[in-house]
Amino acid sequence: MDAQANESLLRFFRGLQDPRAANARHLLSDILAIAIMAVLCGSDSWQMVEAWGWGNLKWLASFLELPHQIPSHDTFDRVFAMLDPLAFEKCFNQWTAALVHNSAGMFIAVDGKTLRRSWKHAWSQTPVHMVSAFASQNQLVLGQVATDIKSNEITAIPQLLAMLNLAGATITIDAMGCQRQIAQQIIDQKAHYVLAVKDNQPTLHQKVKMLLDEALLSNFANMSHDYYEEIDSGHGRIEKRRVWVTDEVKWLGAELLWAWTGLSAVVLVESTRQDLGDLSGKISTERRYFISSHEGTDAKLHAQAIRGHWAVENVLHWRLDVSMNEDQCRLRVKHGAENFSRLRRIALNKLKRWEITKPNGKVLKTSLRIKQQSCGWSHKFLIEALLA
């Protein structure tokens, strides 16, 4: 069973080319297996990965070859620094594709995150910036690509999208990714888009804002539209989100419709928030604007897509920073930070799918951090997580 659990994941990474010389002392498959399992158990540095390996040497030797026992932390550091990140990413994509099976109907949020302590040169302090694709409904990381500076998200996003099967999915991207070429690529990959519109596209933003603001003044009189509202309360505040969608995009003008492939609807989201601890009763209001390739005026669908995009910050990035300590990682050599980040996302996907079941059959509701610690305490739990 231990070997089966290991093989169920590693078979997707068999095609990775070993970047070392042919006379390497440790097998790449052993290094990958130990690293993945150690990160599943909460390791967040190569020193911790090595220590976890020595602590579990007898068990690991029952299903790994380990010709020279456990690699040193320097060996882990050197191998993952040299490992081709794009090749590693392709293997990661193959694995996630096997988990997801079908992208139709999914909401996939694309957003970036900086690994704050991973700058490649101490004097320049330019940290690695990762762009991730996150399936918000089942909370799986589908893929990621690194870029050195945030302005390069525009070039990284198309590269990431090209690696994924997007057919039938809805892709949500913030204003930086609101680019005509990206919209075209999403349509070419037989998917839909919902893109935030801001001042980085001044003409588009001005016309969308004017159309929706004027329509709202007349309550969308004589316009094809749909409306959806949801209210959230908790953490000392009440927030109401109202969503209007219209497919009467002809008012944007033929030039814009020609430039933005697939543009079929525009969306207005108005959020009002009241802090219950504020005795003045002040209510803050914010409006945001989106373009969509979905035909028709399904306001609830657009509300779900936009709400799901926030899960990147509130779920994915929060878990990586708080539970997996990603922002404190100091790996700075070559591809080390990027590839360790991939290990975290492998662990995150597995831990999210795995549930701790008590002897009475009930599921133990617990945090990601406790799941990691449970894998470290019990080989049985670790195998269950690997097979999840």
Side-chain angles (χ1 to χ4, degrees), residues 14 33 50 69 72 113 116 127 276 308 323 327 347 360:
R14 292 296 185 200
E50 181 189 1
Q69 297 190 323
S72 70
K113 179 183 184 297
R116 299 191 181 280
L276 299 180
S323 297
D327 266 357
N360 61 5

Side-chain angles (χ1 to χ4, degrees), residues 51-117:
W52 181 88
W54 284 113
N56 293 274
L57 175 60
K58 185 176 179 180
W59 178 68
L60 292 170
S62 68
F63 59 92
L64 298 180
E65 295 191 40
L66 301 179
H68 297 281
Q69 297 190 323
I70 303 300
S72 70
H73 64 271
D74 286 331
T75 298
F76 282 107
D77 193 4
R78 184 172 63 255
V79 170
F80 278 91
M82 293 189 297
L83 199 63
D84 182 351
L86 290 182
F88 197 9
E89 179 62 23
K90 287 179 181 178
C91 296
F92 179 81
N93 294 153
Q94 291 170 5
W95 172 60
T96 54
L99 295 179
V100 172
H101 302 297
N102 186 3
S103 61
M106 291 176 59
F107 298 126
I108 300 177
V110 176
D111 197 32
K113 179 183 184 297
T114 300
L115 311 184
R116 299 191 181 280
R117 293 183 179 269

Side-chain angles (χ1 to χ4, degrees), residues 231-247:
I231 299 175
D232 283 342
S233 60
H235 304 289
R237 66 175 182 267
I238 298 176
E239 184 173 3
K240 178 190 289 187
R241 287 179 296 277
R242 302 193 294 169
V243 180
W244 293 267
V245 180
T246 179
D247 58 2

Side-chain angles (χ1 to χ4, degrees), residues 46-330:
W46 295 129
Q47 287 87 352
M48 291 179 69
V49 169
E50 181 189 1
W52 181 88
W54 284 113
N56 293 274
L57 175 60
K58 185 176 179 180
W59 178 68
L60 292 170
S62 68
F63 59 92
L64 298 180
E65 295 191 40
L66 301 179
H68 297 281
Q69 297 190 323
I70 303 300
S72 70
H73 64 271
D74 286 331
T75 298
F76 282 107
D77 193 4
R78 184 172 63 255
V79 170
F80 278 91
M82 293 189 297
L83 199 63
D84 182 351
L86 290 182
F88 197 9
E89 179 62 23
K90 287 179 181 178
C91 296
F92 179 81
N93 294 153
Q94 291 170 5
W95 172 60
T96 54
L99 295 179
V100 172
H101 302 297
N102 186 3
S103 61
M106 291 176 59
F107 298 126
I108 300 177
V110 176
D111 197 32
K113 179 183 184 297
T114 300
L115 311 184
R116 299 191 181 280
R117 293 183 179 269
S118 63
W119 56 81
K120 292 185 177 180
H121 304 292
W123 61 87
S124 62
Q125 294 195 2
T126 53
V128 174
H129 189 77
M130 305 296 298
V131 180
S132 298
F134 184 65
S136 56
Q137 291 149 302
N138 46 15
Q139 298 188 6
L140 286 176
V141 183
L142 302 181
Q144 63 177 24
V145 170
T147 175
D148 284 338
I149 52 176
K150 195 165 185 178
S151 62
N152 279 343
E153 276 191 24
I154 296 172
T155 58
I157 290 172
Q159 186 180 14
L160 174 59
L161 294 177
M163 293 179 176
L164 304 175
N165 175 18
L166 305 178
T170 297
I171 315 303
T172 60
I173 314 177
D174 62 17
M176 182 170 287
C178 185
Q179 306 289 330
R180 286 175 290 178
Q181 296 87 344
I182 292 175
Q184 177 72 62
Q185 180 178 347
I186 292 170
I187 296 300
D188 289 344
Q189 291 187 236
K190 303 186 185 308
H192 295 285
Y193 61 74
V194 177
L195 306 178
V197 181
K198 291 185 179 179
D199 286 332
N200 62 319
Q201 295 288 348
T203 303
L204 179 66
H205 179 253
Q206 181 184 9
K207 291 201 172 186
V208 170
K209 183 177 185 300
M210 184 180 299
L211 171 62
L212 289 169
D213 286 353
E214 290 182 358
L216 187 57
L217 286 175
S218 63
N219 199 25
F220 286 82
N222 301 317
M223 289 185 70
S224 169
H225 75 285
D226 191 26
Y227 172 77
Y228 180 75
E229 176 182 305
E230 57 185 8
I231 299 175
D232 283 342
S233 60
H235 304 289
R237 66 175 182 267
I238 298 176
E239 184 173 3
K240 178 190 289 187
R241 287 179 296 277
R242 302 193 294 169
V243 180
W244 293 267
V245 180
T246 179
D247 58 2
E248 296 201 20
V249 293
K250 61 186 178 182
W251 303 111
L252 297 176
E255 186 176 349
L256 270 182
L257 294 179
W258 177 84
W260 291 87
T261 303
L263 202 168
S264 301
V266 288
V267 185
L268 168 61
V269 177
E270 184 179 81
S271 300
T272 58
R273 178 182 294 185
Q274 182 178 10
D275 187 346
L276 299 180
D278 187 349
L279 298 180
S280 67
K282 181 181 178 181
I283 299 176
S284 60
T285 302
E286 178 188 20
R287 285 184 180 178
R288 287 165 296 141
Y289 305 87
F290 301 83
I291 59 172
S292 170
S293 65
H294 277 286
E295 296 181 356
T297 59
D298 190 337
K300 185 175 181 179
L301 180 146
H302 286 87
Q304 290 173 336
I306 293 164
R307 180 71 169 165
H309 188 85
W310 300 339
V312 176
E313 289 289 345
N314 297 336
V315 177
L316 174 60
H317 294 173
W318 187 88
R319 284 175 176 164
L320 289 170
D321 286 340
V322 175
S323 297
M324 294 188 165
N325 212 26
E326 182 166 78
D327 266 357
Q328 301 305 313
C329 180
R330 293 177 175 269

